Amino acid sequence: MSYDISEFIRSLYKTKEFIPLHAPTFGEQEKLNVLDTIETTFVSSVGKYVDEFEREIERFTGSPKAVATVNGTAALHTALYMAGVKRNDLVITQALTFVATCNAIHHMGAEPAFVDVSRETLGLCPVALETFLEDNARVEGERCVHKTSGKAIKAVVPMHTFGHPVHLDEIQNICKKWQITLIEDAAESLGSYYKGQHTGTIGEFAALSFNGNKVITTGGGGMVLCASEPDGKRTKHITTTAKVPHPYEFYHDEPGFNYRMPNLNAALGCAQMQRLPVFLEQKRELANQYREFFKGSGYEFIDEPAHGRSNFWLNAILCDDKAARNALLEEQNSAGIMCRPIWQLMHKLPMFAQCLRGDLEVSEDIEARLVNVPSSPI
Ligand SMILES: *Cc1c(COP(=O)(O)O)cnc(C)c1O
């Protein structure tokens, strides 16, 4: 067996053209829905598709209340706001994440603190979380406090990297013990399950994203998942300018966000939801093919953890070292096959360089060696 990666990927996608990392797929229903919003003029903040899309996501995930937003970052910002994160609070997340997780924390005036990821999930490691808390925090009544600064540690935000569910039971138990709210960054994990339960429905709040490169897309879009109906109601209220319903009066009872997803985007989302089960099957089949191909190749295929079912949003492999990673990236990209390294660790970005952090050994190792391979559904 030879390991010509380019040849293999070209055989999967059956094309000699450029192969992107992840491209959206649209059909007739998407066109009809979008056209309908234009023909009825309901492209913006009024229209039936937003409600329909929210109810579809609730049905699919089992979340009691889903609230659509303009993008995933806005959904995260809203989730943190709803969790009561305040200026100068600390929010623990993983160093290995997309920058949006930390940007949302920053937008609250809070500060991220970084812990390591687990080798099995590439997401927040419960052992690293507990170690960080034991070293740095104490519980005072119903609050978790950072010992040296006195700042409140308000939330923990694990992220299900590439759709692989994190160790949610362990993380949730730690959060309970330390009086911290659990918020899931499920932006990458629509269609991923932890012990049979959809990711994003275990934490108090969660955020999904429907950006163009995610499993389904609304152009731009996001969703807040709320564990309780009252929180869901309030989330809707504050994402829609906190307007108190009235036939004509404008009365707003708190400073709200204008984060509502436009009907135009939700129309696309409703059509995409019908295709989601097929996308997930196709992505699983693609992962099976990669798993087989990379067996014995010297590259380690990142598989789903034993405790869950991944949507395999982005497939990934580990190279021997950074030099091998760079060589592979160079080779594939110059062959017209889009492959990408993982994000630079958050504490290496200038705006988060001063943030608290635990030991990040696994994150450093993954950052140096990981390559994402094309993952559009086949
Ligand atoms: C995509 C993504 C988001 C949200 O992105 P938006 O582009 O704002 O929709 C947040 N966190 C992670 C980890 C993501 O991958």
Side-chain angles (χ1 to χ4, degrees):
M1 169 113 199
S2 83
Y3 294 104
D4 186 330
I5 298 179
S6 302
E7 190 185 282
F8 175 69
I9 295 174
R10 289 210 174 278
S11 77
L12 291 172
Y13 287 99
K14 300 178 181 65
T15 176
K16 294 196 159 49
E17 308 286 306
F18 171 76
I19 300 174
L21 191 68
H22 201 288
T25 316
F26 302 120
E28 210 42 47
Q29 196 60 49
E30 278 86 344
K31 289 182 196 165
L32 291 173
N33 283 13
V34 170
L35 200 58
D36 180 45
T37 67
I38 294 169
E39 284 174 346
T40 59
T41 76
F42 291 127
V43 293
S44 187
S45 48
V46 179
K48 65 178 184 186
Y49 288 109
V50 175
D51 269 355
E52 218 173 283
F53 187 42
E54 289 174 341
R55 302 301 80 77
E56 281 292 324
I57 289 286
E58 285 165 6
R59 256 198 299 280
F60 187 84
T61 62
S63 169
K65 190 84 177 114
V67 177
T69 58
V70 286
N71 56 50
T73 310
L76 276 168
H77 189 197
T78 304
L80 290 158
Y81 179 91
M82 285 297 300
V85 172
K86 297 276 174 344
R87 189 162 293 280
N88 294 322
D89 286 349
L90 294 172
V91 175
I92 299 176
T93 189
Q94 57 209 54
L96 189 82
T97 185
F98 178 56
V99 70
T101 319
C102 300
N103 285 342
I105 295 167
H106 180 81
H107 296 332
M108 290 305 306
E111 227 179 281
F114 303 118
V115 300
D116 211 355
V117 294
S118 130
R119 216 169 264 287
E120 193 191 357
T121 68
L122 307 187
L124 194 130
C125 170
V127 178
L129 173 63
E130 182 111 66
T131 304
F132 180 87
L133 290 167
E134 274 167 2
D135 290 349
N136 296 287
R138 66 165 169 266
V139 177
E140 280 177 9
E142 293 190 349
R143 284 161 28 102
C144 182
V145 176
H146 180 246
K147 281 193 262 194
T148 52
S149 67
K151 291 179 176 178
I153 300 177
K154 204 60 82 57
V156 169
V157 187
M159 194 278 278
H160 305 289
T161 305
F162 307 144
H164 304 306
V166 300
H167 293 96
L168 277 165
D169 279 348
E170 290 85 348
I171 293 170
Q172 190 178 41
N173 286 336
I174 295 167
C175 285
K176 278 186 187 144
K177 178 172 150 198
W178 290 83
Q179 307 276 8
I180 308 173
T181 304
L182 175 60
I183 299 171
E184 295 175 67
D185 183 343
E188 304 182 354
S189 68
L190 179 64
S192 296
Y193 296 81
Y194 176 78
K195 297 186 178 174
Q197 197 174 339
H198 197 284
T199 53
T201 63
I202 286 108
E204 212 61 39
F205 299 96
L208 305 180
S209 167
F210 309 109
N211 190 36
N213 61 349
K214 296 299 200 304
V215 177
I216 64 161
T217 186
T218 58
M223 191 79 73
V224 186
L225 303 184
C226 308
S228 84
E229 293 253 359
D231 277 343
K233 275 215 175 92
R234 197 166 128 64
T235 299
K236 189 73 183 177
H237 186 63
I238 63 135
T239 52
T240 53
T241 70
K243 186 181 184 298
V244 175
H246 190 282
Y248 46 84
E249 287 290 355
F250 287 97
Y251 181 72
H252 307 259
D253 60 0
E254 63 179 308
F257 300 109
N258 180 17
Y259 277 173
R260 183 189 171 92
M261 177 185 283
N263 201 45
L264 179 64
N265 302 78
L268 198 54
C270 289
Q272 289 267 284
M273 274 309 279
Q274 295 180 13
R275 305 159 67 86
L276 177 58
V278 172
F279 289 159
L280 291 171
E281 265 174 49
Q282 292 171 328
K283 291 177 76 64
R284 178 157 290 269
E285 173 53 24
L286 178 64
N288 290 342
Q289 304 250 16
Y290 275 129
R291 183 188 301 108
E292 277 308 304
F293 176 75
F294 285 113
K295 220 172 252 174
S297 68
Y299 297 99
E300 181 189 336
F301 175 71
I302 304 283
D303 217 331
E304 65 192 343
H307 57 235
R309 191 175 168 86
S310 178
N311 65 5
F312 288 103
W313 172 52
L314 288 186
N315 288 288
I317 52 174
L318 289 177
C319 305
D320 278 342
D321 53 27
K322 189 159 187 175
R325 179 201 83 158
N326 291 346
L328 181 64
L329 286 170
E330 199 52 53
E331 181 188 291
Q332 297 309 312
N333 284 295
S334 50
I337 295 173
M338 191 171 169
C339 286
R340 279 202 327 204
I342 201 167
W343 319 283
Q344 291 189 27
L345 300 183
M346 290 301 109
H347 70 284
K348 295 182 181 173
L349 305 180
M351 61 284 195
F352 302 122
Q354 305 304 318
C355 295
L356 291 169
R357 59 179 191 263
D359 179 76
L360 300 174
E361 192 190 331
V362 178
S363 307
E364 293 278 0
D365 180 50
I366 302 291
E367 181 200 36
R369 299 198 291 130
L370 189 139
V371 169
N372 284 123
V373 291
S375 298
S376 309
I378 51 168

